[in-house]
Amino acid sequence: MLRINNCQINTVSGQISLPDITLEQGELLVLTGPSGMGKSTFLHWVLGDEIEHASISGDIILNEKPLNDLNVEQRGIGLLMQDVHLFPHLNVLDNICFALPALSKNQQGKKQNKQQRRETATNMLEKIELGYVAGHFANQLSGGERSRVGLVRALANQPQALLMDEPFAALDPNTSAKVSQWAFEQLQQQGVPSIMVSHDIDNIPAHAQHIDLGAYFHSTSSASHAKRN
């Protein structure tokens, strides 16, 4: 479960006070709002990155563990961006092997060796009908394949929650609809709570929670004007 409580975003243009967020396993929250409203900034705050152009406060709790004082590596949260940066010198299979946790264990509880890690990665690809791209390199993938491989790689790292910043925006509408539906099904099946930033308010999944940041925005200039009058 991912919970975000008492979150307030302050920028030079105004303030956003978000309602409390609770995401159970496999649930999805979609954030929308005008450009520059702070959607991506919010994601990076949850991830644990240093925020330079805004001040954000609030409590982040993942599986009953407070995260605010932990760095990025300790939070157990994954990030999927619009541009999937696969290592160009590695094929798809090796990209996924690289993402597997260093201490991944086999059925006997021992650390996986190289061959076992490759078998794990292969099984992940084959399970979702992507085995045919295992030997392909990034420049040999279509946009839809790249997006799906990006999600598989993100999940290979076994995140306890996943953040997605416009992950399908670069795809044509038809491919975007298919790949996004596939992605949401994978996240539901694996029980990963997720937050996605999107500009496409017409294609928010029916099962998703939705927050429009614009509905909670209060302009600093408007407040100053009101005080003067």
Side-chain angles (χ1 to χ4, degrees):
M1 178 192 295
L2 175 63
R3 290 188 287 131
I4 302 173
N5 299 329
N6 306 313
C7 181
Q8 186 167 289
I9 305 172
N10 292 285
T11 66
V12 293
S13 58
Q15 181 183 94
I16 297 173
S17 296
L18 289 178
D20 288 348
I21 296 166
T22 298
L23 293 172
E24 302 286 351
Q25 290 185 340
E27 289 188 338
L28 170 70
L29 167 66
V30 179
L31 291 180
T32 61
S35 297
M37 187 64 68
K39 301 184 297 297
S40 296
T41 300
F42 171 80
L43 290 189
H44 285 280
W45 171 71
V46 175
L47 185 67
D49 285 338
E50 183 175 343
I51 305 301
E52 297 181 353
H53 305 295
S55 172
I56 305 182
S57 60
D59 301 312
I60 309 168
I61 304 164
L62 181 58
N63 297 328
E64 304 307 320
K65 180 180 180 180
L67 301 187
N68 291 70
D69 295 330
L70 301 182
N71 61 32
V72 176
E73 294 77 14
Q74 296 172 310
R75 294 194 178 198
I77 298 179
L79 177 65
L80 183 62
M81 305 288 287
Q82 177 178 329
D83 296 322
V84 179
H85 295 293
L86 300 176
F87 294 115
H89 62 290
L90 299 178
N91 62 26
V92 168
L93 184 64
D94 289 333
N95 264 280
I96 294 175
C97 285
F98 185 87
L100 290 170
L103 299 178
S104 293
K105 296 181 179 180
N106 58 27
Q107 293 180 346
Q108 289 72 42
K110 297 181 180 179
K111 183 179 177 180
Q112 287 185 331
N113 59 36
K114 182 177 180 180
Q115 181 57 36
Q116 289 170 330
R117 290 172 67 85
R118 291 179 68 82
E119 289 173 359
T120 297
T122 298
N123 289 337
M124 292 186 71
L125 289 170
E126 291 181 346
K127 185 177 180 180
I128 53 177
E129 301 180 353
L130 275 176
Y132 67 96
V133 301
H136 292 189
F137 290 84
N139 61 0
Q140 298 173 304
L141 302 176
S142 68
E145 289 170 342
R146 183 187 292 265
S147 293
R148 288 187 290 163
V149 168
L151 179 64
V152 175
R153 187 180 64 173
L155 293 176
N157 197 239
Q158 300 176 14
Q160 297 179 55
L162 184 66
L163 308 176
M164 299 179 285
D165 196 349
E166 297 279 2
F168 316 116
L171 304 177
D172 66 79
N174 186 49
T175 303
S176 176
K178 292 179 180 179
V179 173
S180 60
Q181 180 179 0
W182 172 88
F184 301 144
E185 289 173 355
Q186 301 303 314
L187 292 168
Q188 277 188 309
Q189 290 173 12
Q190 299 197 32
V192 180
S194 310
I195 300 177
M196 181 177 74
V197 161
S198 177
H199 282 99
D200 190 0
I201 61 174
D202 296 324
N203 287 312
I204 296 174
H207 68 276
Q209 298 181 36
H210 175 217
I211 293 179
D212 178 4
L213 294 191
Y216 300 93
F217 177 75
H218 301 283
S219 171
T220 302
S221 59
S222 297
S224 298
H225 179 75
K227 288 180 180 180
R228 289 196 300 269
N229 291 280

